[in-house]
Amino acid sequence: MARIVVLGAGGQVGRSIVAEAVRRGHEVTAVDQDQNALKGVPRQATAVTGDVTARDMVQQQAQNADVVVVALAGSARPEHANTARAVVEVANKLGANKAPAVIHIGNGGLLENADGERIVDTQEFPAAERKEALDQADALDVLRAAKHNLKWTCIVPPPRNFGPGRRREAYRTAGDRPVTDAQGNIGISYEDFAFAVLDEVEKPRFRNKRYTVGY
């Protein structure tokens, strides 16, 4: 059993990760800035309301955790990068032996298309989602620049067809481009994305790397 803290647990992805972690018997703390959003998390998890971008809050939750999952929902503010900075600062303060591993949920817009171009930089990418994707790019830069005290992984969902669905307990992985099936389709359910996240929690295979998952 691992002690897992989920930052952004009130969002749909965060709740799915909390639910999967509880299902697998882990000790889970669900943290979100919105107290009402936490009403949707399983009762077996400990719900905590707080600012996930604040270093003191992150340190309070991280110091006794084995893994911190950062699963923030979309925001107009640079929450992703600020939370990444807080996590790195806390890891440096705790030291390599005590700092938890970090799993950061990235943005599909940062993956590449068949031409090797970032999807966020293409005309097809929704303009309303560009600011958040670029904030996620900054967060990834923060993680990549972190010193050895931080053990991190960035898991990226597909850039589209990502939502509620059936839990198949199946997925495939890829590097910088979305996973595609034989017909060229991409996508994954929240439930199986959470399944993939917990697999990485329990048996890390992509330490200090970014990767993506899909069917």
Side-chain angles (χ1 to χ4, degrees):
M1 180 182 71
R3 294 167 296 180
I4 302 171
V5 173
V6 180
L7 304 180
Q12 290 182 300
V13 175
R15 286 199 301 271
S16 297
I17 293 170
V18 171
E20 182 65 26
V22 167
R23 180 195 295 266
R24 298 195 189 194
H26 296 292
E27 179 182 326
V28 186
T29 300
V31 185
D32 200 275
Q33 297 173 148
D34 185 353
Q35 186 176 17
N36 290 328
L38 288 171
K39 294 178 181 178
V41 304
R43 59 180 179 80
Q44 297 93 329
T46 300
V48 175
T49 305
D51 183 358
V52 297
T53 67
R55 188 183 65 178
D56 290 345
M57 167 58 73
V58 174
Q59 180 170 339
Q60 181 181 359
Q61 300 303 323
Q63 60 189 355
N64 295 315
D66 298 308
V67 180
V68 172
V69 179
V70 182
L72 308 187
S75 173
R77 298 188 293 121
E79 287 187 340
H80 300 287
N82 288 340
T83 301
R85 293 185 187 99
V87 167
V88 170
E89 290 179 13
V90 168
N92 288 336
K93 186 172 183 179
L94 293 175
N97 293 329
K98 294 185 178 180
V102 173
I103 294 182
H104 182 95
I105 308 307
N107 186 286
L110 302 184
L111 298 173
E112 298 175 358
N113 61 18
D115 297 323
E117 184 179 10
R118 284 195 318 180
I119 295 171
V120 68
D121 298 324
T122 64
Q123 292 184 347
E124 292 77 17
F125 192 80
E129 300 175 17
R130 185 166 285 116
K131 187 172 182 179
E132 181 188 353
L134 295 177
D135 179 26
Q136 283 275 23
D138 291 341
L140 182 58
D141 287 342
V142 170
L143 296 175
R144 284 173 167 165
K147 299 186 187 299
H148 62 277
N149 285 343
L150 183 67
K151 302 181 292 291
W152 64 271
T153 303
C154 181
I155 306 179
V156 181
R160 61 180 184 273
N161 299 326
F162 179 46
R166 184 164 59 90
R167 184 175 183 268
R168 306 182 193 175
E169 299 186 8
Y171 62 92
R172 292 179 295 136
T173 65
D176 293 326
R177 296 184 180 179
V179 175
T180 59
D181 64 15
Q183 289 73 43
N185 300 315
I186 64 174
I188 196 169
S189 68
Y190 288 152
E191 291 80 359
D192 280 328
F193 184 79
F195 187 82
V197 170
L198 265 294
D199 278 356
E200 181 65 18
V201 167
E202 295 176 345
K203 295 181 179 180
R205 295 190 296 148
F206 298 92
R207 187 61 53 81
N208 291 45
K209 294 180 180 178
R210 179 188 71 172
Y211 73 106
T212 185
V213 297
Y215 290 130

PDB file of all heavy atoms in Angstrom, residues 137-173:
ATOM      1  N   ALA A 137       3.301  23.390 -20.701  1.00  0.00           N
ATOM      2  CA  ALA A 137       4.654  23.333 -21.268  1.00  0.00           C
ATOM      3  C   ALA A 137       5.662  23.923 -20.282  1.00  0.00           C
ATOM      4  O   ALA A 137       6.760  23.378 -20.092  1.00  0.00           O
ATOM      5  CB  ALA A 137       4.705  24.087 -22.593  1.00  0.00           C
ATOM      6  N   ASP A 138       5.282  25.023 -19.644  1.00  0.00           N
ATOM      7  CA  ASP A 138       6.160  25.624 -18.632  1.00  0.00           C
ATOM      8  C   ASP A 138       6.354  24.673 -17.451  1.00  0.00           C
ATOM      9  O   ASP A 138       7.464  24.557 -16.915  1.00  0.00           O
ATOM     10  CB  ASP A 138       5.566  26.944 -18.135  1.00  0.00           C
ATOM     11  CG  ASP A 138       5.598  28.043 -19.188  1.00  0.00           C
ATOM     12  OD1 ASP A 138       6.380  27.915 -20.156  1.00  0.00           O
ATOM     13  OD2 ASP A 138       4.842  29.023 -19.053  1.00  0.00           O
ATOM     14  N   ALA A 139       5.289  24.000 -17.041  1.00  0.00           N
ATOM     15  CA  ALA A 139       5.395  23.050 -15.931  1.00  0.00           C
ATOM     16  C   ALA A 139       6.346  21.912 -16.274  1.00  0.00           C
ATOM     17  O   ALA A 139       7.164  21.493 -15.435  1.00  0.00           O
ATOM     18  CB  ALA A 139       4.005  22.496 -15.583  1.00  0.00           C
ATOM     19  N   LEU A 140       6.266  21.417 -17.499  1.00  0.00           N
ATOM     20  CA  LEU A 140       7.164  20.338 -17.912  1.00  0.00           C
ATOM     21  C   LEU A 140       8.612  20.811 -17.918  1.00  0.00           C
ATOM     22  O   LEU A 140       9.515  20.068 -17.511  1.00  0.00           O
ATOM     23  CB  LEU A 140       6.760  19.829 -19.295  1.00  0.00           C
ATOM     24  CG  LEU A 140       7.572  18.658 -19.854  1.00  0.00           C
ATOM     25  CD1 LEU A 140       7.529  17.453 -18.923  1.00  0.00           C
ATOM     26  CD2 LEU A 140       7.058  18.280 -21.249  1.00  0.00           C
ATOM     27  N   ASP A 141       8.837  22.044 -18.337  1.00  0.00           N
ATOM     28  CA  ASP A 141      10.194  22.605 -18.307  1.00  0.00           C
ATOM     29  C   ASP A 141      10.720  22.666 -16.875  1.00  0.00           C
ATOM     30  O   ASP A 141      11.904  22.392 -16.625  1.00  0.00           O
ATOM     31  CB  ASP A 141      10.209  24.003 -18.921  1.00  0.00           C
ATOM     32  CG  ASP A 141      10.062  23.982 -20.439  1.00  0.00           C
ATOM     33  OD1 ASP A 141      10.281  22.913 -21.045  1.00  0.00           O
ATOM     34  OD2 ASP A 141       9.727  25.040 -21.009  1.00  0.00           O
ATOM     35  N   VAL A 142       9.848  23.025 -15.944  1.00  0.00           N
ATOM     36  CA  VAL A 142      10.242  23.087 -14.527  1.00  0.00           C
ATOM     37  C   VAL A 142      10.665  21.705 -14.037  1.00  0.00           C
ATOM     38  O   VAL A 142      11.686  21.546 -13.366  1.00  0.00           O
ATOM     39  CB  VAL A 142       9.088  23.640 -13.663  1.00  0.00           C
ATOM     40  CG1 VAL A 142       9.403  23.479 -12.184  1.00  0.00           C
ATOM     41  CG2 VAL A 142       8.836  25.106 -13.978  1.00  0.00           C
ATOM     42  N   LEU A 143       9.886  20.689 -14.373  1.00  0.00           N
ATOM     43  CA  LEU A 143      10.208  19.325 -13.946  1.00  0.00           C
ATOM     44  C   LEU A 143      11.518  18.848 -14.565  1.00  0.00           C
ATOM     45  O   LEU A 143      12.358  18.246 -13.892  1.00  0.00           O
ATOM     46  CB  LEU A 143       9.072  18.378 -14.315  1.00  0.00           C
ATOM     47  CG  LEU A 143       7.728  18.621 -13.623  1.00  0.00           C
ATOM     48  CD1 LEU A 143       6.666  17.673 -14.174  1.00  0.00           C
ATOM     49  CD2 LEU A 143       7.851  18.464 -12.115  1.00  0.00           C
ATOM     50  N   ARG A 144      11.685  19.106 -15.852  1.00  0.00           N
ATOM     51  CA  ARG A 144      12.896  18.648 -16.540  1.00  0.00           C
ATOM     52  C   ARG A 144      14.158  19.328 -16.001  1.00  0.00           C
ATOM     53  O   ARG A 144      15.245  18.756 -16.068  1.00  0.00           O
ATOM     54  CB  ARG A 144      12.755  18.904 -18.036  1.00  0.00           C
ATOM     55  CG  ARG A 144      11.844  17.903 -18.728  1.00  0.00           C
ATOM     56  CD  ARG A 144      11.584  18.270 -20.175  1.00  0.00           C
ATOM     57  NE  ARG A 144      10.980  17.153 -20.908  1.00  0.00           N
ATOM     58  CZ  ARG A 144      10.393  17.259 -22.085  1.00  0.00           C
ATOM     59  NH1 ARG A 144      10.314  18.460 -22.674  1.00  0.00           N
ATOM     60  NH2 ARG A 144       9.870  16.200 -22.686  1.00  0.00           N
ATOM     61  N   ALA A 145      14.006  20.539 -15.489  1.00  0.00           N
ATOM     62  CA  ALA A 145      15.157  21.276 -14.965  1.00  0.00           C
ATOM     63  C   ALA A 145      15.446  20.962 -13.503  1.00  0.00           C
ATOM     64  O   ALA A 145      16.445  21.434 -12.953  1.00  0.00           O
ATOM     65  CB  ALA A 145      14.932  22.781 -15.126  1.00  0.00           C
ATOM     66  N   ALA A 146      14.573  20.154 -12.873  1.00  0.00           N
ATOM     67  CA  ALA A 146      14.733  19.861 -11.448  1.00  0.00           C
ATOM     68  C   ALA A 146      15.993  19.051 -11.187  1.00  0.00           C
ATOM     69  O   ALA A 146      16.443  18.272 -12.028  1.00  0.00           O
ATOM     70  CB  ALA A 146      13.511  19.099 -10.943  1.00  0.00           C
ATOM     71  N   LYS A 147      16.527  19.232  -9.994  1.00  0.00           N
ATOM     72  CA  LYS A 147      17.735  18.499  -9.611  1.00  0.00           C
ATOM     73  C   LYS A 147      17.371  17.068  -9.246  1.00  0.00           C
ATOM     74  O   LYS A 147      16.217  16.651  -9.275  1.00  0.00           O
ATOM     75  CB  LYS A 147      18.416  19.206  -8.440  1.00  0.00           C
ATOM     76  CG  LYS A 147      18.844  20.634  -8.767  1.00  0.00           C
ATOM     77  CD  LYS A 147      19.626  21.223  -7.620  1.00  0.00           C
ATOM     78  CE  LYS A 147      19.916  22.711  -7.880  1.00  0.00           C
ATOM     79  NZ  LYS A 147      20.710  22.931  -9.085  1.00  0.00           N
ATOM     80  N   HIS A 148      18.363  16.310  -8.855  1.00  0.00           N
ATOM     81  CA  HIS A 148      18.199  14.871  -8.630  1.00  0.00           C
ATOM     82  C   HIS A 148      17.272  14.543  -7.460  1.00  0.00           C
ATOM     83  O   HIS A 148      16.868  13.398  -7.292  1.00  0.00           O
ATOM     84  CB  HIS A 148      19.567  14.222  -8.381  1.00  0.00           C
ATOM     85  CG  HIS A 148      20.254  14.741  -7.158  1.00  0.00           C
ATOM     86  ND1 HIS A 148      20.986  15.900  -7.158  1.00  0.00           N
ATOM     87  CD2 HIS A 148      20.309  14.264  -5.883  1.00  0.00           C
ATOM     88  CE1 HIS A 148      21.480  16.114  -5.944  1.00  0.00           C
ATOM     89  NE2 HIS A 148      21.080  15.143  -5.153  1.00  0.00           N
ATOM     90  N   ASN A 149      16.942  15.533  -6.623  1.00  0.00           N
ATOM     91  CA  ASN A 149      16.062  15.259  -5.489  1.00  0.00           C
ATOM     92  C   ASN A 149      14.652  14.860  -5.927  1.00  0.00           C
ATOM     93  O   ASN A 149      13.920  14.234  -5.167  1.00  0.00           O
ATOM     94  CB  ASN A 149      15.956  16.490  -4.581  1.00  0.00           C
ATOM     95  CG  ASN A 149      17.197  16.687  -3.736  1.00  0.00           C
ATOM     96  OD1 ASN A 149      17.998  15.770  -3.582  1.00  0.00           O
ATOM     97  ND2 ASN A 149      17.361  17.880  -3.193  1.00  0.00           N
ATOM     98  N   LEU A 150      14.254  15.238  -7.140  1.00  0.00           N
ATOM     99  CA  LEU A 150      12.894  14.986  -7.591  1.00  0.00           C
ATOM    100  C   LEU A 150      12.840  13.806  -8.550  1.00  0.00           C
ATOM    101  O   LEU A 150      13.501  13.795  -9.578  1.00  0.00           O
ATOM    102  CB  LEU A 150      12.329  16.235  -8.285  1.00  0.00           C
ATOM    103  CG  LEU A 150      10.872  16.121  -8.739  1.00  0.00           C
ATOM    104  CD1 LEU A 150       9.951  16.026  -7.528  1.00  0.00           C
ATOM    105  CD2 LEU A 150      10.481  17.315  -9.600  1.00  0.00           C
ATOM    106  N   LYS A 151      12.008  12.817  -8.206  1.00  0.00           N
ATOM    107  CA  LYS A 151      11.711  11.691  -9.093  1.00  0.00           C
ATOM    108  C   LYS A 151      10.346  11.993  -9.721  1.00  0.00           C
ATOM    109  O   LYS A 151       9.324  11.929  -9.039  1.00  0.00           O
ATOM    110  CB  LYS A 151      11.681  10.382  -8.311  1.00  0.00           C
ATOM    111  CG  LYS A 151      12.975  10.063  -7.560  1.00  0.00           C
ATOM    112  CD  LYS A 151      12.885   8.737  -6.820  1.00  0.00           C
ATOM    113  CE  LYS A 151      11.896   8.771  -5.668  1.00  0.00           C
ATOM    114  NZ  LYS A 151      12.366   9.625  -4.546  1.00  0.00           N
ATOM    115  N   TRP A 152      10.322  12.323 -11.001  1.00  0.00           N
ATOM    116  CA  TRP A 152       9.078  12.744 -11.617  1.00  0.00           C
ATOM    117  C   TRP A 152       8.752  11.928 -12.863  1.00  0.00           C
ATOM    118  O   TRP A 152       9.614  11.332 -13.496  1.00  0.00           O
ATOM    119  CB  TRP A 152       9.129  14.229 -11.991  1.00  0.00           C
ATOM    120  CG  TRP A 152      10.159  14.572 -13.039  1.00  0.00           C
ATOM    121  CD1 TRP A 152      11.461  14.916 -12.819  1.00  0.00           C
ATOM    122  CD2 TRP A 152       9.980  14.576 -14.452  1.00  0.00           C
ATOM    123  NE1 TRP A 152      12.103  15.138 -14.012  1.00  0.00           N
ATOM    124  CE2 TRP A 152      11.223  14.946 -15.036  1.00  0.00           C
ATOM    125  CE3 TRP A 152       8.907  14.315 -15.303  1.00  0.00           C
ATOM    126  CZ2 TRP A 152      11.402  15.054 -16.415  1.00  0.00           C
ATOM    127  CZ3 TRP A 152       9.084  14.412 -16.683  1.00  0.00           C
ATOM    128  CH2 TRP A 152      10.311  14.795 -17.217  1.00  0.00           C
ATOM    129  N   THR A 153       7.475  11.946 -13.195  1.00  0.00           N
ATOM    130  CA  THR A 153       6.975  11.361 -14.435  1.00  0.00           C
ATOM    131  C   THR A 153       5.853  12.260 -14.933  1.00  0.00           C
ATOM    132  O   THR A 153       5.050  12.745 -14.137  1.00  0.00           O
ATOM    133  CB  THR A 153       6.414   9.946 -14.204  1.00  0.00           C
ATOM    134  OG1 THR A 153       7.412   9.121 -13.624  1.00  0.00           O
ATOM    135  CG2 THR A 153       5.949   9.329 -15.510  1.00  0.00           C
ATOM    136  N   CYS A 154       5.790  12.485 -16.225  1.00  0.00           N
ATOM    137  CA  CYS A 154       4.691  13.254 -16.822  1.00  0.00           C
ATOM    138  C   CYS A 154       3.897  12.327 -17.730  1.00  0.00           C
ATOM    139  O   CYS A 154       4.432  11.802 -18.704  1.00  0.00           O
ATOM    140  CB  CYS A 154       5.238  14.446 -17.605  1.00  0.00           C
ATOM    141  SG  CYS A 154       3.935  15.477 -18.351  1.00  0.00           S
ATOM    142  N   ILE A 155       2.636  12.107 -17.386  1.00  0.00           N
ATOM    143  CA  ILE A 155       1.753  11.260 -18.177  1.00  0.00           C
ATOM    144  C   ILE A 155       0.767  12.159 -18.926  1.00  0.00           C
ATOM    145  O   ILE A 155       0.065  12.966 -18.312  1.00  0.00           O
ATOM    146  CB  ILE A 155       0.986  10.253 -17.301  1.00  0.00           C
ATOM    147  CG1 ILE A 155       1.950   9.439 -16.446  1.00  0.00           C
ATOM    148  CG2 ILE A 155       0.129   9.339 -18.168  1.00  0.00           C
ATOM    149  CD1 ILE A 155       1.272   8.447 -15.534  1.00  0.00           C
ATOM    150  N   VAL A 156       0.711  12.005 -20.238  1.00  0.00           N
ATOM    151  CA  VAL A 156      -0.081  12.904 -21.072  1.00  0.00           C
ATOM    152  C   VAL A 156      -1.264  12.150 -21.687  1.00  0.00           C
ATOM    153  O   VAL A 156      -1.070  11.098 -22.307  1.00  0.00           O
ATOM    154  CB  VAL A 156       0.788  13.504 -22.196  1.00  0.00           C
ATOM    155  CG1 VAL A 156      -0.021  14.469 -23.047  1.00  0.00           C
ATOM    156  CG2 VAL A 156       2.013  14.207 -21.604  1.00  0.00           C
ATOM    157  N   PRO A 157      -2.466  12.674 -21.536  1.00  0.00           N
ATOM    158  CA  PRO A 157      -3.619  12.051 -22.192  1.00  0.00           C
ATOM    159  C   PRO A 157      -3.650  12.395 -23.675  1.00  0.00           C
ATOM    160  O   PRO A 157      -2.912  13.282 -24.130  1.00  0.00           O
ATOM    161  CB  PRO A 157      -4.807  12.682 -21.458  1.00  0.00           C
ATOM    162  CG  PRO A 157      -4.302  14.037 -21.064  1.00  0.00           C
ATOM    163  CD  PRO A 157      -2.845  13.847 -20.728  1.00  0.00           C
ATOM    164  N   PRO A 158      -4.495  11.749 -24.454  1.00  0.00           N
ATOM    165  CA  PRO A 158      -4.622  12.108 -25.869  1.00  0.00           C
ATOM    166  C   PRO A 158      -5.130  13.543 -26.015  1.00  0.00           C
ATOM    167  O   PRO A 158      -5.825  14.055 -25.118  1.00  0.00           O
ATOM    168  CB  PRO A 158      -5.654  11.108 -26.400  1.00  0.00           C
ATOM    169  CG  PRO A 158      -5.698  10.015 -25.392  1.00  0.00           C
ATOM    170  CD  PRO A 158      -5.378  10.632 -24.081  1.00  0.00           C
ATOM    171  N   PRO A 159      -4.827  14.211 -27.119  1.00  0.00           N
ATOM    172  CA  PRO A 159      -5.302  15.583 -27.308  1.00  0.00           C
ATOM    173  C   PRO A 159      -6.793  15.688 -27.599  1.00  0.00           C
ATOM    174  O   PRO A 159      -7.352  16.787 -27.573  1.00  0.00           O
ATOM    175  CB  PRO A 159      -4.473  16.076 -28.503  1.00  0.00           C
ATOM    176  CG  PRO A 159      -4.106  14.843 -29.248  1.00  0.00           C
ATOM    177  CD  PRO A 159      -3.932  13.777 -28.219  1.00  0.00           C
ATOM    178  N   ARG A 160      -7.458  14.580 -27.874  1.00  0.00           N
ATOM    179  CA  ARG A 160      -8.907  14.580 -28.060  1.00  0.00           C
ATOM    180  C   ARG A 160      -9.445  13.186 -27.733  1.00  0.00           C
ATOM    181  O   ARG A 160      -8.698  12.256 -27.507  1.00  0.00           O
ATOM    182  CB  ARG A 160      -9.289  14.977 -29.492  1.00  0.00           C
ATOM    183  CG  ARG A 160      -8.767  14.068 -30.576  1.00  0.00           C
ATOM    184  CD  ARG A 160      -9.204  14.567 -31.959  1.00  0.00           C
ATOM    185  NE  ARG A 160      -8.799  13.647 -33.009  1.00  0.00           N
ATOM    186  CZ  ARG A 160      -7.625  13.672 -33.624  1.00  0.00           C
ATOM    187  NH1 ARG A 160      -6.726  14.585 -33.276  1.00  0.00           N
ATOM    188  NH2 ARG A 160      -7.333  12.793 -34.578  1.00  0.00           N
ATOM    189  N   ASN A 161     -10.770  13.092 -27.679  1.00  0.00           N
ATOM    190  CA  ASN A 161     -11.440  11.826 -27.317  1.00  0.00           C
ATOM    191  C   ASN A 161     -10.978  11.332 -25.948  1.00  0.00           C
ATOM    192  O   ASN A 161     -10.665  10.149 -25.768  1.00  0.00           O
ATOM    193  CB  ASN A 161     -11.198  10.754 -28.380  1.00  0.00           C
ATOM    194  CG  ASN A 161     -11.738  11.147 -29.731  1.00  0.00           C
ATOM    195  OD1 ASN A 161     -12.761  11.827 -29.829  1.00  0.00           O
ATOM    196  ND2 ASN A 161     -11.056  10.747 -30.795  1.00  0.00           N
ATOM    197  N   PHE A 162     -10.961  12.253 -25.004  1.00  0.00           N
ATOM    198  CA  PHE A 162     -10.556  11.945 -23.631  1.00  0.00           C
ATOM    199  C   PHE A 162     -11.693  12.373 -22.718  1.00  0.00           C
ATOM    200  O   PHE A 162     -11.968  13.564 -22.557  1.00  0.00           O
ATOM    201  CB  PHE A 162      -9.272  12.697 -23.293  1.00  0.00           C
ATOM    202  CG  PHE A 162      -8.753  12.477 -21.894  1.00  0.00           C
ATOM    203  CD1 PHE A 162      -8.673  11.197 -21.360  1.00  0.00           C
ATOM    204  CD2 PHE A 162      -8.345  13.552 -21.111  1.00  0.00           C
ATOM    205  CE1 PHE A 162      -8.193  10.987 -20.072  1.00  0.00           C
ATOM    206  CE2 PHE A 162      -7.849  13.354 -19.833  1.00  0.00           C
ATOM    207  CZ  PHE A 162      -7.779  12.072 -19.309  1.00  0.00           C
ATOM    208  N   GLY A 163     -12.387  11.394 -22.139  1.00  0.00           N
ATOM    209  CA  GLY A 163     -13.539  11.713 -21.316  1.00  0.00           C
ATOM    210  C   GLY A 163     -14.062  10.490 -20.594  1.00  0.00           C
ATOM    211  O   GLY A 163     -13.432   9.420 -20.611  1.00  0.00           O
ATOM    212  N   PRO A 164     -15.206  10.611 -19.914  1.00  0.00           N
ATOM    213  CA  PRO A 164     -15.781   9.473 -19.190  1.00  0.00           C
ATOM    214  C   PRO A 164     -16.077   8.318 -20.132  1.00  0.00           C
ATOM    215  O   PRO A 164     -16.424   8.529 -21.297  1.00  0.00           O
ATOM    216  CB  PRO A 164     -17.074  10.047 -18.589  1.00  0.00           C
ATOM    217  CG  PRO A 164     -16.909  11.531 -18.634  1.00  0.00           C
ATOM    218  CD  PRO A 164     -16.045  11.821 -19.817  1.00  0.00           C
ATOM    219  N   GLY A 165     -15.931   7.108 -19.619  1.00  0.00           N
ATOM    220  CA  GLY A 165     -16.192   5.945 -20.468  1.00  0.00           C
ATOM    221  C   GLY A 165     -16.145   4.659 -19.675  1.00  0.00           C
ATOM    222  O   GLY A 165     -16.359   4.642 -18.469  1.00  0.00           O
ATOM    223  N   ARG A 166     -15.835   3.590 -20.371  1.00  0.00           N
ATOM    224  CA  ARG A 166     -15.810   2.265 -19.761  1.00  0.00           C
ATOM    225  C   ARG A 166     -14.402   1.943 -19.264  1.00  0.00           C
ATOM    226  O   ARG A 166     -13.414   2.313 -19.891  1.00  0.00           O
ATOM    227  CB  ARG A 166     -16.250   1.211 -20.784  1.00  0.00           C
ATOM    228  CG  ARG A 166     -16.362  -0.205 -20.243  1.00  0.00           C
ATOM    229  CD  ARG A 166     -17.164  -1.049 -21.211  1.00  0.00           C
ATOM    230  NE  ARG A 166     -16.563  -1.094 -22.535  1.00  0.00           N
ATOM    231  CZ  ARG A 166     -15.654  -2.024 -22.908  1.00  0.00           C
ATOM    232  NH1 ARG A 166     -15.265  -2.947 -22.049  1.00  0.00           N
ATOM    233  NH2 ARG A 166     -15.175  -2.017 -24.128  1.00  0.00           N
ATOM    234  N   ARG A 167     -14.304   1.270 -18.142  1.00  0.00           N
ATOM    235  CA  ARG A 167     -13.018   0.848 -17.581  1.00  0.00           C
ATOM    236  C   ARG A 167     -12.656  -0.510 -18.177  1.00  0.00           C
ATOM    237  O   ARG A 167     -13.171  -1.540 -17.787  1.00  0.00           O
ATOM    238  CB  ARG A 167     -13.116   0.758 -16.051  1.00  0.00           C
ATOM    239  CG  ARG A 167     -11.800   0.427 -15.332  1.00  0.00           C
ATOM    240  CD  ARG A 167     -12.043   0.501 -13.830  1.00  0.00           C
ATOM    241  NE  ARG A 167     -10.829   0.280 -13.057  1.00  0.00           N
ATOM    242  CZ  ARG A 167     -10.426  -0.902 -12.597  1.00  0.00           C
ATOM    243  NH1 ARG A 167     -11.170  -1.981 -12.848  1.00  0.00           N
ATOM    244  NH2 ARG A 167      -9.326  -1.019 -11.896  1.00  0.00           N
ATOM    245  N   ARG A 168     -11.736  -0.510 -19.130  1.00  0.00           N
ATOM    246  CA  ARG A 168     -11.338  -1.744 -19.800  1.00  0.00           C
ATOM    247  C   ARG A 168     -10.107  -2.386 -19.158  1.00  0.00           C
ATOM    248  O   ARG A 168      -9.779  -3.525 -19.448  1.00  0.00           O
ATOM    249  CB  ARG A 168     -11.005  -1.463 -21.260  1.00  0.00           C
ATOM    250  CG  ARG A 168     -12.079  -0.760 -22.081  1.00  0.00           C
ATOM    251  CD  ARG A 168     -11.594  -0.600 -23.512  1.00  0.00           C
ATOM    252  NE  ARG A 168     -12.405   0.314 -24.288  1.00  0.00           N
ATOM    253  CZ  ARG A 168     -12.110   0.674 -25.533  1.00  0.00           C
ATOM    254  NH1 ARG A 168     -11.033   0.186 -26.130  1.00  0.00           N
ATOM    255  NH2 ARG A 168     -12.892   1.523 -26.181  1.00  0.00           N
ATOM    256  N   GLU A 169      -9.399  -1.619 -18.355  1.00  0.00           N
ATOM    257  CA  GLU A 169      -8.115  -2.054 -17.788  1.00  0.00           C
ATOM    258  C   GLU A 169      -7.135  -2.380 -18.907  1.00  0.00           C
ATOM    259  O   GLU A 169      -6.400  -3.374 -18.863  1.00  0.00           O
ATOM    260  CB  GLU A 169      -8.299  -3.247 -16.854  1.00  0.00           C
ATOM    261  CG  GLU A 169      -9.186  -2.952 -15.655  1.00  0.00           C
ATOM    262  CD  GLU A 169      -9.244  -4.096 -14.665  1.00  0.00           C
ATOM    263  OE1 GLU A 169      -8.485  -5.070 -14.823  1.00  0.00           O
ATOM    264  OE2 GLU A 169     -10.063  -4.013 -13.727  1.00  0.00           O
ATOM    265  N   ALA A 170      -7.129  -1.525 -19.932  1.00  0.00           N
ATOM    266  CA  ALA A 170      -6.242  -1.729 -21.078  1.00  0.00           C
ATOM    267  C   ALA A 170      -5.812  -0.377 -21.626  1.00  0.00           C
ATOM    268  O   ALA A 170      -6.595   0.577 -21.640  1.00  0.00           O
ATOM    269  CB  ALA A 170      -6.955  -2.522 -22.171  1.00  0.00           C
ATOM    270  N   TYR A 171      -4.570  -0.312 -22.084  1.00  0.00           N
ATOM    271  CA  TYR A 171      -4.042   0.901 -22.715  1.00  0.00           C
ATOM    272  C   TYR A 171      -2.704   0.555 -23.348  1.00  0.00           C
ATOM    273  O   TYR A 171      -2.114  -0.489 -23.064  1.00  0.00           O
ATOM    274  CB  TYR A 171      -3.853   2.031 -21.684  1.00  0.00           C
ATOM    275  CG  TYR A 171      -2.857   1.698 -20.585  1.00  0.00           C
ATOM    276  CD1 TYR A 171      -1.505   2.027 -20.707  1.00  0.00           C
ATOM    277  CD2 TYR A 171      -3.264   1.042 -19.423  1.00  0.00           C
ATOM    278  CE1 TYR A 171      -0.589   1.713 -19.714  1.00  0.00           C
ATOM    279  CE2 TYR A 171      -2.358   0.717 -18.427  1.00  0.00           C
ATOM    280  CZ  TYR A 171      -1.025   1.059 -18.577  1.00  0.00           C
ATOM    281  OH  TYR A 171      -0.119   0.731 -17.590  1.00  0.00           O
ATOM    282  N   ARG A 172      -2.239   1.453 -24.216  1.00  0.00           N
ATOM    283  CA  ARG A 172      -0.896   1.336 -24.768  1.00  0.00           C
ATOM    284  C   ARG A 172      -0.157   2.642 -24.527  1.00  0.00           C
ATOM    285  O   ARG A 172      -0.774   3.671 -24.274  1.00  0.00           O
ATOM    286  CB  ARG A 172      -0.952   1.025 -26.273  1.00  0.00           C
ATOM    287  CG  ARG A 172      -1.514  -0.372 -26.582  1.00  0.00           C
ATOM    288  CD  ARG A 172      -1.568  -0.631 -28.077  1.00  0.00           C
ATOM    289  NE  ARG A 172      -2.514   0.261 -28.731  1.00  0.00           N
ATOM    290  CZ  ARG A 172      -2.268   0.899 -29.874  1.00  0.00           C
ATOM    291  NH1 ARG A 172      -1.074   0.764 -30.482  1.00  0.00           N
ATOM    292  NH2 ARG A 172      -3.180   1.667 -30.418  1.00  0.00           N
ATOM    293  N   THR A 173       1.154   2.599 -24.610  1.00  0.00           N
ATOM    294  CA  THR A 173       1.956   3.791 -24.345  1.00  0.00           C
ATOM    295  C   THR A 173       2.724   4.218 -25.594  1.00  0.00           C
ATOM    296  O   THR A 173       2.953   3.433 -26.508  1.00  0.00           O
ATOM    297  CB  THR A 173       2.966   3.543 -23.204  1.00  0.00           C
ATOM    298  OG1 THR A 173       3.912   2.549 -23.618  1.00  0.00           O
ATOM    299  CG2 THR A 173       2.268   3.092 -21.936  1.00  0.00           C
TER     300      THR A 173
END
